[in-house]
Amino acid sequence: MEGFHRLNNALHCEGVSLAELAAVEGTPLYVYSAGTIATRYRAIDNAFRGYPHAIHYALKANSTLAIARLLRSLGAAADANSGGEIDVALRAGFIPEQIVFTGVGKTPAELAQAIDLGVRTINAESEGELDRIDRLARERGTRVRVALRVNPDVDARSHPHISTGLKVNKFGVPADAVRDICRRFAGREGLEFAGLHTHVGSQITDLDPLRRAAATIVALARELKDDGITIDHLDVGGGLGVSYDGAKVPSADDYAAAVLPIVRDSGLSLILEPGRNIVGPAGVLLSRVVDVKDRPDGKVFVILDAGMTELMRPMLYGAFHRIEAVLCVSSSDEIVADIVGPLCESSDTLGKDRRLKRPQPGDLFAVLDAGAYGAVMASNYNRRPMPAEVLVEGERPSVIRRRQTIDDLLALES
Ligand SMILES: Cc1ncc(COP(=O)(O)O)c(C=O)c1O
């Protein structure tokens, strides 16, 4: 858990007591460790040192401005998945040449925004999109650097909802269509074929799919070269998983050792788009117990003040997160409980059948490894204001996003 540790049994983020932080800022509360983000970013950067590469942090994992700024200060570039993420990247200080623009359904307005700014590359999803980019570029008298997103038909062996590289998935173009598409579009005045892109899924803990996806685009780059189309980079996407249950997972070094031998001979520079691997283990969601309800079958419901509105992953993907008491509970009564949220949905369950010491209302819990795809997926369902977020650097906690109020919410309505 890296930046998180216990001191006299109380969970801390770097030098800050999470119990004290929650007492001041309230709950639900996201807390991130800046040190963990830096360590994890550098681990990837170091793993690929010696080979030309750029780390385009996938903003979709966590795009709170201060997190984006921190990654920029560490040397990252950005991967944006919408016009909104491009705006956030710019406000975080990234320059357009540091942004790659990805996304399965980019609107004409979003494409125009990216072209007018002059982003580094647009990762193009389809022939239709190449056509739209070409038209918009010619209207502006410019040429746009594109990388065609390849669907290599590789099973990421992750959860089906976060696997993107099978031919039944909506992403990219089939590998066997790439050569023909590139031949047909290579002469377009508005397009410059700069690279090939792939991304086969998220939370990948088996390196083989990542290896196979890389091998697919390396082979395609060779074929394009034979056709006189020379690209300058390979974008292997993100996807490297983290350990949610404490089991061993491949490290950044393992990942580089899997990918680099495949890519090296191509001589093409690499773009990496990691998100989860950098920020996932760097965040926790703090939440207080609202009620403890005994069930007729002997099990217990521990009802928290955070649920699917703050952290969707368990409900969306059946994702597992460890959930720990922030201060060790004095009770010796051990229970088996479903740890649930306060929303009017039975799917609003953060942890099923967890063995823990019987807590009391008011006790504080931490949902671990919640830094990626947590706060960014929060919603206002049941009119719940979004939680505050705090970034800890050593002894210093900073509120990087204040808690939303009902007034913020209603300000949009008439
Ligand atoms: C195109 C693309 N790149 C990068 C990422 C980041 O993935 P991860 O957070 O698993 O590294 C995603 C997320 O699914 C994605 O769709």
Side-chain angles (χ1 to χ4, degrees):
M1 252 209 316
E2 303 173 35
F4 297 87
H5 59 97
R6 289 203 177 260
L7 197 64
N8 301 327
N9 275 335
L11 194 58
H12 282 61
C13 176
E14 304 194 12
V16 172
S17 148
L18 291 179
E20 285 173 24
L21 196 54
V24 174
E25 299 300 341
T27 54
L29 183 71
Y30 272 100
V31 183
Y32 308 110
S33 154
T36 303
I37 293 174
T39 304
R40 298 188 69 86
Y41 171 80
R42 289 189 187 117
I44 299 177
D45 199 26
N46 282 333
F48 284 87
R49 74 182 177 278
Y51 193 84
H53 69 277
I55 299 176
H56 284 250
Y57 166 65
L59 286 165
K60 62 171 74 67
N62 186 324
S63 60
T64 307
L65 259 185
I67 303 281
R69 276 197 206 107
L70 171 60
L71 278 148
R72 187 182 61 81
S73 75
L74 293 167
D79 166 35
N81 208 62
S82 66
E85 284 188 357
I86 292 178
D87 282 331
V88 168
L90 295 173
R91 289 184 201 206
F94 293 98
I95 55 170
E97 298 84 78
Q98 289 176 305
I99 300 171
V100 295
F101 184 29
T102 316
V104 75
K106 306 176 195 79
T107 64
E110 288 176 316
L111 288 174
Q113 173 191 11
I115 293 168
D116 290 339
L117 282 166
V119 299
R120 175 176 181 180
T121 311
I122 298 180
N123 290 331
E125 283 278 341
S126 66
E127 291 179 66
E129 189 170 279
L130 283 173
D131 204 41
R132 286 187 286 281
I133 297 170
D134 175 49
R135 194 158 10 94
L136 288 163
R138 280 187 289 109
E139 279 166 18
R140 288 160 170 75
T142 186
R143 286 187 93 194
V144 174
R145 284 171 52 85
V146 290
L148 189 57
R149 179 164 179 175
V150 180
N151 182 323
D153 196 22
V154 162
D155 184 355
R157 298 182 201 141
S158 181
H159 189 279
H161 293 181
I162 47 175
S163 293
T164 56
L166 282 170
K167 63 180 173 211
V168 292
N169 299 130
K170 65 184 174 182
F171 303 94
V173 300
D176 58 10
V178 169
R179 196 169 187 178
D180 175 54
I181 294 171
C182 290
R183 273 184 192 148
R184 284 189 286 114
F185 282 85
R188 295 284 187 102
E189 235 174 89
L191 301 179
E192 177 190 338
F193 276 93
L196 288 171
H197 175 237
T198 191
H199 170 80
V200 293
S202 194
Q203 185 50 15
I204 299 172
T205 53
D206 170 354
L207 293 173
D208 193 50
L210 295 168
R211 227 181 256 121
R212 284 168 52 209
T216 302
I217 58 172
V218 168
L220 286 168
R222 215 175 293 124
E223 291 181 10
L224 295 189
K225 198 171 173 192
D226 292 344
D227 291 343
I229 302 167
T230 46
I231 59 174
D232 58 36
H233 75 266
L234 297 170
D235 183 337
V236 290
L240 184 61
V242 299
S243 178
Y244 285 103
D245 60 2
K248 196 170 159 26
V249 293
S251 65
D253 284 340
D254 297 333
Y255 175 46
V259 169
L260 282 179
I262 294 167
V263 165
R264 202 177 290 283
D265 280 350
S266 74
L268 298 169
S269 69
L270 258 189
I271 288 183
L272 307 159
E273 299 172 353
R276 182 192 310 273
N277 192 271
I278 297 175
V279 291
V284 296
L285 171 61
L286 298 182
S287 177
R288 280 197 197 281
V289 176
V290 177
D291 200 1
V292 181
K293 261 167 86 165
D294 286 291
R295 287 181 0 189
D297 64 357
K299 284 196 196 168
V300 176
F301 287 116
V302 173
I303 301 168
L304 299 182
D305 66 2
M308 65 195 291
T309 38
E310 287 70 35
L311 182 64
M312 274 279 271
R313 299 191 63 258
M315 303 81 192
L316 206 53
Y317 319 126
F320 177 88
H321 283 266
R322 287 172 287 178
I323 304 172
E324 290 185 2
V326 168
L327 302 172
C328 286
V329 181
S330 53
S331 153
S332 58
D333 180 10
E334 208 170 75
I335 55 168
V336 176
D338 284 356
I339 303 178
V340 301
L343 286 112
C344 298
E345 302 283 335
S346 289
S347 62
D348 186 32
T349 298
L350 288 163
K352 257 198 118 44
D353 292 332
R354 301 296 176 93
R355 197 169 285 280
L356 70 161
K357 298 271 170 61
R358 178 181 282 275
Q360 298 290 322
D363 283 352
L364 186 64
F365 276 83
V367 183
L368 307 187
D369 305 308
Y373 306 102
V376 277
M377 285 192 185
S379 81
N380 291 125
Y381 183 44
N382 281 195
R383 290 294 194 179
R384 288 167 57 80
M386 298 218 194
E389 294 172 62
V390 168
L391 181 65
V392 173
E393 291 172 274
E395 310 281 310
R396 195 162 53 91
S398 314
V399 176
I400 56 171
R401 184 173 184 195
R402 71 163 168 81
R403 189 173 302 285
Q404 203 179 30
T405 64
I406 284 290
D407 286 339
D408 292 332
L409 247 153
L410 291 177
L412 303 175
E413 300 180 26
S414 53

